[in-house]
């Protein structure tokens, strides 16, 4: 059944615009003035016949009088005015109805303006969310508050204490000047960052971790000098078998570097200075490692200490050749290079690459062969980028239960988000639903490339008796054209990926 | 015997100013620059009051607070948190964990001294 149309306001407004009396318009339409009056006051619905006559006589677009568009506009404007923005300024519904009927064009413009405002507001909220989660801003706000506190404290001390000695006064004044200068620099950097004006802002827009990740990417995740150094050390150690590596590394630390290795009990050492380990003494000393660490983690830590102590010049040279600007980023970069060295030592390039291809990247078989951890294997696989002897280009992601990314490397070309949490669409968090099991996932990226990945949970041990460890999900993936080299991809249909990433 | 105040803070200038103010107010001052050191000092000589920063290396202020409040022997120790502006959640968490009070960075030195005196029941100029 056709709905009844009441278009009184519109007809009245039209008549006013044309400058006709009710009688004159009624005459033109062939109806009585009394009937037109009833229609104009919505006492009678607009019949199809009268609607057609009005459209023909006054050149009105078909459907304009029927109110479909009017009803849609009214509904949209009602929604607009229900926005908290208008709070007490919402017009009553009758006035709004009159306005829409009389000024449809202005109503449309108003809606367009509101949509633009709503989009801008959402963008602002998103940006705020990103900034509040950005380690650069968190760190900067902490530093700003700390410096302000120092300045305020010393300014008040100088003001309130007449009896300060000359030395004290000089010292406090120096602190004030120094801290004010630091604060000025920091505020300057912050403005540069916000305005995006300086060259430095590009670096500032990244966290130190981002800088290191970008540096690794710029070097294709492969460092020949560190590979050579690790191979040289292996030779000096007599090319130990994986199960003999612990003794070889502990022996080297003791004999060559004067560092005794102690694996300590969790009951006698509730915490070590660096959590799971500590190095005491500057020249030589003792390296204490928590017994809860796996053998592969013990080996990794020893290898990294060797890199930092015995191969410091190679790490420094490598650092000087890469593009890392911030001091904090340089420290992180040295750690990353030390870790790279450790990985290269435990999983030497050529034998590891050959094994990876032979075992078709079966991570569990690889970790058994090299006596290393699941995450270590995944990480090392991303570094097999030696020219002419490349491995499969993989990406690697590590996230916590909330989806926060703590590690990301992409040699596969997949763009991994820098900010916020990883969308569940990536499938990485699925690993938490089946702890310890390998999960398979395929996804289509924005550029239509299809990637295949596996994910699995890994748990870092606690440092105290009864303390649960931290569990992460790690994911290793590659573009589907390489999937034939990966045993987990056998029999999968990549024509229909599990998920499609929208907006990166 | 003067009251003892342990300042737990890793920023050297803030340590410097707080320690100057506390000494000036007549308190005996000890300093710890990280959470582990704070707990060692509490073990060896529990202070009457602790000025405790939240963001500390090794073991953060919350961990220190939890450990102290879990030991009955230290139940009388007053703990004032040094929190950062805009981090209301830290303040709420700290009070929930048993802190007695808090000051917000950037704080006024006068407020800190007044608060410490108030918690230790010390009149001005008689400390």
């Amino acid at each position: 059944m056709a709905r009844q149309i009441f278009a009184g306001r519109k007809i009245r407004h039209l008549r006013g615009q044309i400058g006709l009396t009710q009688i004159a318009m009624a005459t033109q339409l062939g109806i009585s003035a009394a009937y037109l009056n009833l229609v104009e006051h919505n006492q009678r619905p607009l019949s199809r016949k009268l609607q057609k006559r009005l459209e023909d006589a006054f050149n009105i677009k078909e459907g304009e009088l029927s109110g479909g568009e009017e009803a849609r506009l009214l509904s949209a404007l009602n929604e607009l005015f229900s926005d908290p923005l208008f709070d007490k300024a919402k017009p009553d519904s009758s006035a709004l109805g009159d306005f829409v009927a009389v000024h449809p064009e202005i109503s449309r413009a108003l809606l367009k303006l509101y949509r633009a405002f709503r989009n801008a507001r959402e963008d602002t909220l998103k940006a705020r969310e990103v900034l509040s989660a950005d380690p650069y801003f968190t760190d900067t706000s902490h530093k700003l508050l700390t410096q302000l506190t120092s300045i305020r404290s010393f300014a008040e001390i100088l003001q309130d204490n007449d009896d300060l000695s000359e030395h004290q006064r000089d010292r406090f004044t120096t602190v004030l000047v120094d801290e004010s200068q630091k604060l000025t620099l920091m505020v300057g950097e912050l403005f540069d960052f916000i305005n995006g004006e300086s060259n430095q802002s590009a670096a500032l827009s990244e966290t130190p971790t981002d800088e290191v990740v970008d540096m690794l990417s710029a070097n294709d995740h492969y460092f020949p000098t560190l590979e050579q150094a690790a191979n040289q050390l292996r030779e000096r150690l007599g090319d130990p078998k994986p199960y003999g590596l612990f003794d070889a590394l502990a022996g080297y630390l003791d004999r060559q570097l004067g560092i005794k290795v102690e694996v300590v009990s969790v009951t006698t050492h509730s915490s070590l200075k660096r959590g799971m380990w500590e190095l005491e003494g500057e020249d030589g000393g003792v390296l204490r490692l928590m017994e809860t660490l796996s053998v592969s983690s013990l080996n990794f830590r020893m290898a990294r200490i060797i890199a930092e102590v015995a191969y410091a010049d190679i790490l420094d040279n490598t650092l000087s050749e890469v593009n890392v600007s911030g001091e904090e980023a340089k420290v992180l970069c040295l750690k990353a290079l030390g870790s790279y060295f450790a990985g290269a030592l435990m999983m030497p390039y050529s034998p590891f690459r050959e094994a990876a291809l032979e075992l078709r990247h079966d991570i569990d078989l690889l970790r058994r062969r090299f006596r290393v951890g699941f995450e270590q294997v995944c990480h090392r696989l991303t570094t097999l980028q030696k020219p002419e002897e490349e491995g499969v280009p993989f990406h690697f992601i590590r996230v916590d239960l909330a989806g926060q990314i703590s590690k990301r490397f992409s040699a596969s070309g997949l763009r991994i988000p820098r900010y916020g949490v990883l969308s569940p669409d990536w499938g990485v968090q699925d690993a938490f639903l089946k702890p310890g099991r390998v999960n398979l996932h395929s996804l289509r990226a924005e550029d239509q490339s299809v990637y295949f990945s596996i994910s699995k949970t890994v748990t870092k041990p606690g440092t105290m008796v009864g303390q649960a460890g931290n569990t992460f999900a790690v994911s290793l993936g590659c573009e589907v054209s390489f999937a034939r080299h990966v045993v987990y991809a056998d029999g999968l249909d990549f024509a229909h990926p599990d998920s499609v990433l929208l907006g990166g | 015997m003067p009251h003892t105040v342990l300042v737990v803070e890793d920023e050297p200038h803030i340590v410097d100013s707080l320690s100057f103010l506390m000494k000036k107010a007549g308190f005996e001052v000890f300093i710890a620059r990280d959470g582990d050191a704070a707990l060692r000092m509490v073990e060896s000589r529990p202070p009457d009051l602790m000025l405790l920063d939240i963001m500390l290396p090794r073991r953060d202020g919350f961990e220190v607070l939890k450990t102290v409040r879990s030991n009955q022997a230290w139940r009388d120790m007053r703990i004032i948190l040094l929190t950062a502006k805009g981090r209301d959640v830290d303040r709420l968490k700290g009070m929930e964990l048993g802190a007695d009070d808090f000051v917000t960075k950037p704080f006024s030195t006068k407020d800190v001294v007044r608060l410490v005196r108030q918690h230790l029941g010390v009149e001005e100029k008689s400390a």
Side-chain angles (χ1 to χ4, degrees):
Chain A
M1 197 172 84
R3 70 182 174 93
Q4 291 190 328
I5 299 162
F6 292 91
R9 287 191 196 102
K10 203 168 282 180
I11 295 168
R12 203 164 57 240
H13 177 68
L14 172 74
R15 187 167 57 74
Q17 276 188 322
I18 301 167
L20 290 177
T21 61
Q22 268 187 349
I23 296 170
M25 182 181 250
T27 307
Q28 279 199 36
L29 294 169
I31 57 171
S32 73
Y35 180 65
L36 179 61
N37 186 47
L38 289 171
V39 171
E40 281 193 0
H41 288 89
N42 288 335
Q43 301 292 312
R44 292 286 185 280
L46 178 67
S47 67
R48 288 288 305 157
K49 196 172 161 187
L50 181 56
Q51 183 187 340
K52 183 81 177 67
R53 281 190 200 171
L54 276 161
E55 285 169 359
D56 291 344
F58 301 107
N59 199 22
I60 297 167
K61 267 190 262 173
E62 198 179 326
E64 199 173 317
L65 286 172
S66 62
E69 170 67 1
E70 184 179 323
R72 192 191 65 75
L73 277 176
L74 187 61
S75 160
L77 277 185
N78 264 316
E79 190 188 331
L80 181 160
F81 282 109
S82 62
D83 189 297
L85 175 75
F86 295 101
D87 194 20
K88 289 170 187 164
K90 184 179 179 181
D92 68 49
S93 53
S94 160
L96 204 56
D98 283 347
F99 182 82
V100 172
V102 176
H103 301 294
E105 290 304 322
I106 298 178
S107 299
R108 283 188 204 101
L110 196 59
L111 284 170
K112 197 171 175 182
L113 190 66
Y114 177 68
R115 273 195 290 272
F117 158 74
R118 204 169 56 183
N119 288 341
R121 183 170 63 184
E122 280 171 12
D123 286 349
T124 308
L125 289 173
K126 274 186 206 161
R128 191 187 295 170
E129 201 176 311
V130 165
L131 286 178
S132 66
D134 188 316
Y136 171 73
F137 267 83
T138 317
D139 185 48
T140 303
S141 62
H142 179 244
K143 283 180 186 160
L144 279 174
L145 282 174
T146 302
Q147 260 147 9
L148 275 173
T149 307
S150 296
I151 291 169
R152 186 173 178 183
S153 299
F154 284 109
E156 287 183 0
I157 288 172
L158 285 166
Q159 186 187 37
D160 297 344
N161 296 275
D162 295 334
D163 55 346
L164 292 175
S165 68
E166 197 172 333
H167 171 70
Q168 280 176 319
R169 194 165 285 279
D170 280 351
R171 191 161 63 86
F172 295 166
T173 311
T174 305
V175 172
L176 262 184
V177 173
D178 288 350
E179 291 296 286
S180 305
Q181 280 174 346
K182 280 187 206 161
L183 191 65
T184 310
L185 276 176
M186 193 175 289
V187 171
E189 285 178 358
L190 200 59
F191 277 115
D192 285 346
F193 175 82
I194 291 165
N195 296 327
E197 282 172 356
S198 73
N199 290 331
Q200 207 178 6
S201 69
L204 285 173
S205 68
E206 298 171 334
T207 64
T209 309
D210 285 333
E211 270 203 74
V212 175
V213 170
D214 289 347
M215 179 279 293
L216 293 171
S217 178
N219 287 277
D220 292 331
H221 301 256
Y222 174 71
F223 294 89
T225 49
L226 299 181
E227 297 282 353
Q228 281 162 16
N231 281 340
Q232 184 198 51
L233 178 61
R234 278 193 74 85
E235 278 174 30
R236 292 187 68 180
L237 296 175
D239 198 15
K241 298 288 180 209
Y243 41 83
L245 194 57
F246 179 89
D247 289 338
L249 292 171
Y252 183 88
L253 279 163
D254 184 11
R255 286 191 295 277
Q256 303 297 325
L257 307 178
I259 297 172
K260 297 269 182 213
V261 176
E262 281 180 17
V263 178
V264 298
S265 162
V266 73
T267 52
T268 55
H269 292 73
S270 61
S271 81
L272 297 174
K273 283 177 189 161
R274 310 292 293 266
M276 304 300 280
W277 66 281
E278 66 185 21
L279 182 59
E280 207 169 68
E282 287 179 4
D283 188 16
V286 181
L287 173 62
R288 291 195 187 87
L289 299 162
M290 197 67 93
E291 66 175 348
T292 46
L293 286 170
S294 62
V295 173
S296 58
S297 295
L298 294 171
N299 288 343
F300 178 84
R301 182 57 53 195
M302 287 190 290
R304 219 176 92 175
I305 297 288
I306 292 173
E308 286 165 5
V309 177
Y311 291 86
D313 53 340
I314 292 179
L315 296 190
D316 287 339
N317 284 343
T318 311
L319 179 67
S320 67
E321 286 165 7
V322 298
N323 183 23
V324 174
S325 57
E327 284 309 309
E328 201 179 332
K330 284 181 180 170
V331 173
L332 284 179
C333 186
L334 277 177
K335 283 185 184 174
L337 296 174
S339 296
Y340 186 102
F341 176 95
L345 183 76
M346 295 163 71
M347 294 164 273
Y349 194 99
S350 296
F352 183 76
R353 177 178 168 277
E354 281 160 25
L357 291 171
E358 175 203 336
L359 300 172
R360 299 189 62 229
H361 300 91
D362 185 317
I363 313 279
D364 275 320
L365 291 181
L366 277 168
R367 55 182 285 250
R368 288 199 181 98
R369 183 172 289 185
F370 289 87
R371 297 293 197 272
V372 287
F374 192 91
E375 188 177 335
Q376 288 172 333
V377 170
C378 293
H379 195 171
R380 181 60 169 149
L381 285 171
T382 65
T383 68
L384 301 181
Q385 300 301 317
K386 183 178 179 181
E388 309 294 320
E389 203 187 333
E390 291 99 340
V392 170
F394 282 109
H395 59 258
F396 171 67
I397 309 170
R398 190 178 80 176
V399 298
D400 64 14
L401 193 56
Q404 288 283 354
I405 302 171
S406 52
K407 281 187 182 177
R408 57 183 167 85
F409 304 102
S410 184
S412 71
L414 179 63
R415 280 189 59 222
I416 303 171
R418 280 168 185 257
Y419 297 111
V421 298
L422 194 68
S423 158
D425 288 342
W426 286 63
V428 181
Q429 288 98 313
D430 290 356
F432 289 112
L433 301 174
K434 296 172 191 164
R437 284 181 56 184
V438 172
N439 294 273
L440 312 179
H441 198 81
S442 58
L443 58 86
R444 186 186 299 281
E446 277 177 298
D447 64 359
Q448 300 306 308
S449 310
V450 178
Y451 292 85
F452 160 73
S453 61
I454 63 164
S455 62
K456 186 174 183 254
T457 53
V458 293
T459 300
K460 306 285 173 191
T463 55
M464 289 188 284
V465 174
Q467 186 190 45
N470 289 325
T471 297
F472 300 93
V474 295
S475 172
L476 181 79
C478 61
E479 213 266 332
V480 285
S481 48
F482 297 96
R484 65 195 170 87
H485 296 294
V486 183
V487 67
Y488 307 101
D490 288 353
L492 292 184
D493 169 20
F494 294 113
H496 303 95
D498 299 325
S499 54
V500 175
L501 297 182
L502 298 172
Chain B
M1 280 283 284
H3 286 289
T4 51
V5 174
L6 174 61
V7 177
V8 189
E9 166 70 62
D10 61 326
E11 166 53 40
H13 293 321
I14 297 181
V15 169
D16 208 8
S17 67
L18 284 176
S19 126
F20 172 84
L21 287 163
M22 294 302 127
K23 282 179 192 160
K24 180 97 181 161
F27 303 119
E28 192 175 352
V29 181
F30 301 94
I31 291 156
R33 295 189 190 275
D34 64 57
D36 284 347
L39 288 177
R40 281 198 299 274
M41 296 187 85
V42 168
E43 293 241 8
S44 62
R45 186 173 175 186
D48 297 314
L49 184 144
M50 188 181 338
L51 284 171
L52 177 62
D53 187 28
I54 302 280
M55 291 178 79
L56 291 168
R58 300 217 173 111
R59 192 186 292 263
D60 69 20
F62 293 128
E63 285 297 313
V64 174
L65 182 58
K66 262 195 277 187
T67 310
V68 171
R69 285 298 179 237
S70 66
N71 190 326
Q72 279 298 302
W74 300 325
R75 67 178 180 276
D76 293 332
M77 189 191 303
R78 315 297 288 175
I79 299 180
I80 299 175
L81 292 179
L82 308 177
T83 63
K85 186 169 168 53
R87 295 285 305 168
D88 289 350
V89 65
D90 285 351
R91 177 173 55 79
L92 293 172
K93 185 176 171 185
M95 299 305 277
E96 183 67 25
L97 288 173
D100 295 293
D101 222 322
F102 66 92
V103 282
T104 306
K105 289 179 185 176
F107 47 70
S108 154
T109 52
K110 293 188 193 83
D111 288 345
V112 181
V113 175
R114 182 183 48 75
L115 213 55
V116 171
R117 282 199 173 113
Q118 183 187 316
H119 279 281
L120 292 176
V122 177
E123 294 291 323
E124 197 166 349
K125 293 181 182 173
S126 64

